[in-house]
Amino acid sequence: MTVTATNTSGSTAPLDPAVLHEAVVDWFGEHARDLPWRRPEAGAWGVMVSEFMLQQTPVARVLPVYEQWLKRWPSPAALAVDAPGEAVRAWGRLGYPRRALRLHAAAVAIQERHAGVVPRRHEHLLALPGIGEYTAAAVASFAYGQRHAVLDTNVRRVFARAVSGTEFPPGATTAAERRIARQLLPEGDAAAARWAAATMELGALVCKASAPVCVGCPIAAACAWRLAGSPAYDGPPRRGQTYAGTDRQVRGRLLAVLRASAEPVAQAVLDGAWQEPVQRARALDGLVADGLVEPLEGGLYRLPGA
DNA sequence: AAGCCGTGGAA
DNA sequence: TTTCCAAGGCT
């Protein structure tokens, strides 16, 4: 099947996948960042840890935490025998601490189901806690060199612009996007894995969400969005996140207190983290329900133990 | 399937 | 100052 891009006049011109592949992969060869999880010594576990941390958190903030994490827990087995609360503590301020809990749970599952080895099969990866469609494809591709359509926010944006001619992709991944990704995927395993990494990097460094650097783009001449005159986004409003005053902020405050304490913390201390008592109680209940906080006897709280 | 779940740097 | 947004997953 042929991949087409919409041009200015509304007609379509065929994109030659082989030409795109070469341009993007060559660009990647020159501009790829030297990230620790891309080095061979990272292994599948290193790749997996990085993917968890990079879910909605920028590379620059992940780097130091990633290094200390792998030094402390160089294998799933090492993490699995530690308390989940230690994972939450080491997660620091990366945000969305449920990811730390899920990474710990995934390590336990890898011990139980896969003899301590990060599974190779997409199906088995997908079954692990905290691993969805994207992360399963990413680990299978980056750690094991398999052929998978890796559709993260960067790749989706690159395809939206280069192929579909729109500034931004839809709110949720669509069947149409998966079809485009599958059609553009090179045949061989190694080529597909390289392509996945290259398109992600292109989205991260050049085809950025705001202020794309089209002068540095290897496929600018073939980009449907550019050829259409870079029309402004006209789809449904992309969801903006308010944060100040939300339960999420309160949860963050409470968890910060617990992270900072090696000992269980009294209710009264947690009360100092947020003024408004109803919201504070709701947030704490939520953290307990999520397994991020463990209530003890006598009004004490701590990060979850083993 | 729309909403929830943290955090901080940059524009 | 406010807004945007960063390699998503789960319910």
Side-chain angles (χ1 to χ4, degrees):
Chain A
M1 190 174 291
T2 304
V3 179
T4 59
T6 304
N7 68 20
T8 320
S9 58
S11 63
T12 58
L15 292 177
D16 183 345
V19 173
L20 285 183
H21 294 160
E22 184 180 6
V24 175
V25 167
D26 284 354
W27 172 88
F28 186 60
E30 285 188 31
H31 299 279
R33 292 167 291 180
D34 176 28
L35 300 170
W37 43 86
R38 285 180 178 161
R39 297 201 272 265
E41 60 267 29
W45 174 239
V47 171
M48 181 173 152
V49 169
S50 78
E51 291 303 336
F52 270 75
M53 292 183 171
L54 289 164
Q55 290 168 1
Q56 304 285 279
T57 302
V59 168
R61 285 174 47 207
V62 163
L63 284 168
V65 182
Y66 171 86
E67 299 287 7
Q68 81 177 54
W69 189 284
L70 279 187
K71 182 184 294 185
R72 180 171 179 182
W73 297 302
S75 66
L79 178 58
V81 297
D82 234 325
E86 285 308 297
V88 173
R89 192 188 308 279
W91 198 255
R93 307 187 67 79
L94 288 182
Y96 293 145
R98 292 196 288 197
R99 291 180 294 163
L101 226 42
R102 291 177 184 145
L103 180 51
H104 180 275
V108 171
I110 288 171
Q111 271 301 90
E112 294 174 347
R113 304 175 199 164
H114 306 289
V117 179
V118 176
R120 307 179 75 93
R121 289 182 52 183
H122 183 278
E123 169 191 359
H124 290 160
L125 287 164
L126 195 55
L128 295 173
I131 294 191
E133 178 183 355
Y134 160 74
T135 303
V139 172
S141 182
F142 303 150
Y144 293 122
Q146 296 171 21
R147 183 175 184 273
H148 290 282
V150 180
L151 267 183
D152 80 319
T153 187
N154 291 303
V155 177
R156 294 182 60 221
R157 188 172 55 249
V158 169
F159 290 168
R161 290 174 181 167
V163 180
S164 306
T166 61
E167 187 177 12
F168 297 112
T173 305
T174 64
E177 289 181 274
R178 293 189 183 92
R179 186 176 343 110
I180 290 170
R182 247 182 290 116
Q183 289 173 357
L184 251 28
L185 204 56
E187 283 305 319
D189 284 348
R194 186 80 173 163
W195 165 253
T199 48
M200 281 182 65
E201 193 77 336
L202 186 65
L205 299 183
V206 173
C207 195
K208 300 183 289 185
S210 48
V213 193
C214 300
V215 292
C217 180
I219 57 172
C223 177
W225 183 56
R226 293 221 85 204
L227 292 173
S230 306
Y233 178 77
D234 70 339
R238 298 181 296 148
R239 79 171 193 273
Q241 314 167 325
T242 53
Y243 181 63
T246 61
D247 284 8
R248 290 156 78 176
Q249 182 180 27
V250 184
R251 288 165 59 108
R253 291 274 187 88
L254 293 170
L255 214 51
V257 172
L258 291 166
R259 256 193 266 108
S261 173
E263 302 301 322
V265 170
Q267 173 82 57
V269 176
L270 289 178
D271 288 351
W274 193 259
Q275 179 71 25
E276 206 287 304
V278 173
Q279 189 180 27
R280 188 178 64 222
R282 184 173 65 233
L284 183 55
D285 284 350
L287 288 169
V288 171
D290 289 346
L292 283 163
V293 172
E294 182 178 350
L296 303 174
E297 308 274 315
L300 294 173
Y301 295 87
R302 67 171 184 178
L303 298 179

